[in-house]
Amino acid sequence: MTALRALIFDVDGTLADTEEAHRQAFNDAFLAHDLPWQWSAATYRELLGVTGGKERIARYVESLGLPVVERERLRRIVPLVHRTKTEAFAGLVEMGGVPLLPGVARLLSEARSAGLRLGIASTTTARNLTALLTRNIGTSALSWFDAISTGDVVAQKKPAPDIYRHALAVLGLPAGACVALEDSELGVRAAKAAGLFTVAVPTRWTSDQSFMLADLVLPSLGDPQRPVDARTEELIGAKWLGLRQLAALHAAREDLRC
Ligand code: XBP
Ligand code: MG
C-alpha cells in the first residue's frame, strides 16, 4: 500500500472560484483591443469546455465564421489579447475579489504540518496563481509548493494527463502516493488519466458536468466555520474533509489496488 505523500491542487475552481473574474478579465481585454466581443456567463460556461485562455479565445474566433484574412489577423493577436487579459485578472485578484474556497487554506496548512508535499497542476497562467496566493495567503505561499505546473509548461492541456505527469515528475513521486483536488470534469479526467486518487469539488460553473471518474465528490472541503452538510458528513465521517479523512480514503483505494 502506497502512503499518501503529496496533495496536488488544481487552481481555477479549486483554490478559488475564479472563473467570474476570468470572464470579466476576458471582456476587459476585448474592450482594450477594440474587439466587439463580450462573453456572457452562458457563453463563458460553454467556452470553459476549452482549457487555456489562449485556446479559449482561439476557439471563439473559429466559431465566428469570419473571412480567412480577418480570422488569421485575429489568430495572430490572441497571445497579445491574452496577456492583457492576464493583467486584468491579476488586477481583479489583487483588489481582493477572489478569496480562497472553504477548507483550502486549512487543508494546505494540515498537509504542511503533517510533512506532506504540495503541488499545483493547472491550465492557468502562472501569473494568475502568483496573484491568487499572494493576495490570499502572502508572498511566502508560493514556496509552500514543491511543484508548480501551470499553463504552457506542457503542450497538451487538460483533459490530457500531461500537467499532472509534469507535477509528479517534479515531485519525484508516483501517482499512487498523491491525491489530486479538482473542480471540473476535464480536470478530473486529466488527474485520473495520470493515475491519481481524485477529489472533485464542483463549482457553480462545473456543477452540471459529469464526475463519474472522481474517487470522491464533495459540495465543499468544509471547515469549522462552514461544515459540510449531514449527508457529506456521513460520507467522510467528519464535518469537513481533514487530512486524516483524506489519507484514510486514499489508503482504502490503494488497498483495493493491491
Ligand atoms: C482553468 C482554465 C484556465 C482558466 C483561465 O484552469 O482552463 O484556462 O479558465 O486561465 P485550471 P488562463 O486547470 O486551474 O482549472 O486564461 O490563464 O488560461
Ligand atoms: Mg479547475
Side-chain angles (χ1 to χ4, degrees):
M1 191 270 291
T2 310
L4 179 58
R5 304 274 305 282
L7 303 184
I8 302 180
F9 285 80
D10 163 56
V11 174
D12 293 305
T14 300
L15 290 184
D17 185 356
T18 57
E19 294 297 356
E20 177 54 22
H22 279 302
R23 183 178 76 89
Q24 288 177 32
F26 279 110
N27 287 338
D28 292 348
F30 299 154
L31 280 174
H33 289 272
D34 297 323
L35 295 166
W37 311 332
Q38 286 293 291
W39 286 348
S40 67
T43 298
Y44 193 64
R45 181 186 293 272
E46 275 181 47
L47 287 168
L48 279 173
V50 181
T51 57
K54 292 190 292 295
E55 294 80 357
R56 194 165 300 147
I57 300 171
R59 177 71 64 83
Y60 181 71
V61 169
E62 291 304 311
S63 74
L64 297 174
L66 296 168
V68 173
V69 172
E70 176 60 358
R71 187 184 67 205
E72 289 311 307
R73 180 188 78 82
L74 290 172
R75 272 183 179 168
R76 282 194 297 274
I77 67 168
V78 164
L80 177 63
V81 175
H82 188 251
R83 280 196 294 275
T84 304
K85 175 265 172 184
T86 298
E87 289 313 308
F89 177 80
L92 290 170
V93 169
E94 284 151 11
M95 285 193 295
V98 190
L100 297 183
L101 283 164
V104 168
R106 173 184 57 73
L107 198 54
L108 287 171
S109 175
E110 286 182 30
R112 295 181 72 225
S113 301
L116 264 66
R117 299 170 70 197
L118 294 173
I120 291 285
S122 168
T123 307
T124 205
T125 306
R127 173 88 172 84
N128 298 343
L129 174 66
T130 302
L132 199 62
L133 289 177
T134 303
R135 182 64 177 78
N136 286 295
I137 298 177
T139 50
S140 64
L142 279 168
S143 66
W144 296 1
F145 296 86
D146 290 321
I148 296 183
S149 301
T150 56
D152 294 336
V153 73
V154 292
Q156 296 295 317
K157 291 190 164 86
K158 298 174 183 177
D162 302 35
I163 198 74
Y164 276 100
R165 287 181 177 151
H166 184 276
L168 290 171
V170 173
L171 289 167
L173 291 173
C178 304
V179 163
L181 295 104
E182 272 285 353
D183 73 298
S184 69
E185 178 180 357
L186 296 178
V188 168
R189 282 170 51 192
K192 292 307 296 177
L196 284 92
F197 181 97
T198 303
V199 178
V201 184
T203 69
R204 54 187 160 144
W205 294 97
T206 60
S207 56
D208 60 339
Q209 296 175 2
S210 166
F211 292 92
M212 296 284 286
L213 293 177
D215 296 284
L216 180 65
V217 184
L218 300 174
S220 164
L221 293 177
D223 59 25
Q225 298 75 25
R226 290 159 293 189
V228 297
D229 58 64
R231 194 178 71 79
T232 305
E233 181 181 353
E234 193 177 338
L235 176 68
I236 62 176
K239 291 186 180 298
W240 53 84
L241 185 70
L243 187 62
R244 189 165 55 80
Q245 287 79 28
L246 185 52
L249 289 163
H250 167 264
R253 199 290 297 265
E254 282 300 296
D255 285 347
L256 285 175
R257 282 208 312 189
C258 298

